[in-house]
Amino acid sequence: MIRVLFVCLGNICRSPMGEFICKAEAAARGVADRLYIESAGTSGEEEGNPVYPPARAELAKHGIACGGKRARQLCREDGDRFDYILCMEERHVLAARRICPSARAEIVRLLDDTACPRDIADPWWTRDFAAAYAEIAEGVSAFLDRLEREGKLG
Ligand code: 4NP
C-alpha cells in the first residue's frame, strides 16, 4: 500500500481537489486498492471546515464527489504515516519539512514530476477553479505515471 498525502495551505481547495482527483484517477486505472490517499493543510485556520463550495463544484463538474471531507492540519506524525507528501507550492514544501522534521515521506511539489515544474496558483485568490483543477489533474497523472513506471502499483 502506497500512502499519499496532498498538502496546501487551508485544506479546503487545492489539496482536497488533489485527494479526490487522485482517488478517481486511481480507480480509473484499476489501482485504487494499491493507494491510501488523504489531504491536509499547513495552516489550522480552516480546521473542521468542508471543501470550499467552488472547489466542490469544480470536482462535481468532473463527476467527482468530496462529501464528508473536513479540513485538518498537517502534523508531525504525518511525516511517518505517509510515503509521499505532495504539496501545491514550494512554501508548503518548506512548511511541511518544518512541521515534519524527521519525515520518512518524500516531500515534494505535485508538479515537480511534470515537464514544467511549478507551483499551483491559489484559486482562493485567482478565483480560477478550472485552472486549478487542470493543473492538479496534470500533477496527479504525472505522479501516478511515475509510480507505474517505477513498478510500485503492482
Ligand atoms: P487552499 O486555499 O490552500 O488551496 O485550501 C486557501 C484557503 C483559504 C485561504 C487561502 C487559501 N485563506 O486565506 O483563508
Side-chain angles (χ1 to χ4, degrees):
M1 179 74 78
I2 295 173
R3 301 178 62 92
V4 185
L5 183 68
F6 288 85
V7 166
C8 63
L9 176 67
N11 193 213
I12 57 168
C13 297
R14 290 165 292 177
S15 62
M17 290 173 87
E19 173 184 343
F20 290 97
I21 292 169
C22 195
K23 285 176 176 170
E25 178 70 15
R29 293 181 186 218
V31 296
D33 59 334
R34 311 282 306 174
L35 293 159
Y36 175 79
I37 305 162
E38 271 189 36
S39 64
T42 58
S43 153
E45 204 157 314
E46 302 288 347
E47 186 86 34
N49 286 339
V51 177
Y52 188 52
R56 190 169 67 224
E58 189 59 38
L59 288 170
K61 272 189 211 165
H62 296 267
I64 299 174
C66 61
K69 167 64 187 169
R70 294 291 179 274
R72 76 162 179 93
Q73 188 168 17
L74 181 69
C75 64
R76 187 186 180 102
E77 294 70 36
D78 288 324
D80 292 319
R81 289 180 56 229
F82 289 91
D83 301 302
Y84 298 93
I85 295 181
L86 302 179
C87 301
M88 299 297 152
E89 297 177 36
E90 185 61 25
R91 66 190 177 121
H92 307 144
V93 171
L94 300 177
R97 289 184 180 146
R98 202 164 53 239
I99 294 166
C100 311
S102 56
R104 185 178 60 79
E106 181 178 322
I107 304 176
V108 293
R109 279 187 309 189
L110 177 59
L111 291 179
D112 279 346
D113 276 331
T114 68
C116 178
R118 61 200 188 276
D119 287 352
I120 291 173
D122 189 344
W124 182 267
W125 301 110
T126 66
R127 309 312 297 175
D128 193 342
F129 288 83
Y133 184 99
E135 289 196 308
I136 293 165
E138 176 190 350
V140 164
S141 283
F143 174 67
L144 292 178
D145 286 349
R146 172 190 160 188
L147 293 184
E148 282 182 348
R149 245 188 349 263
E150 294 174 351
K152 291 179 176 160
L153 294 179

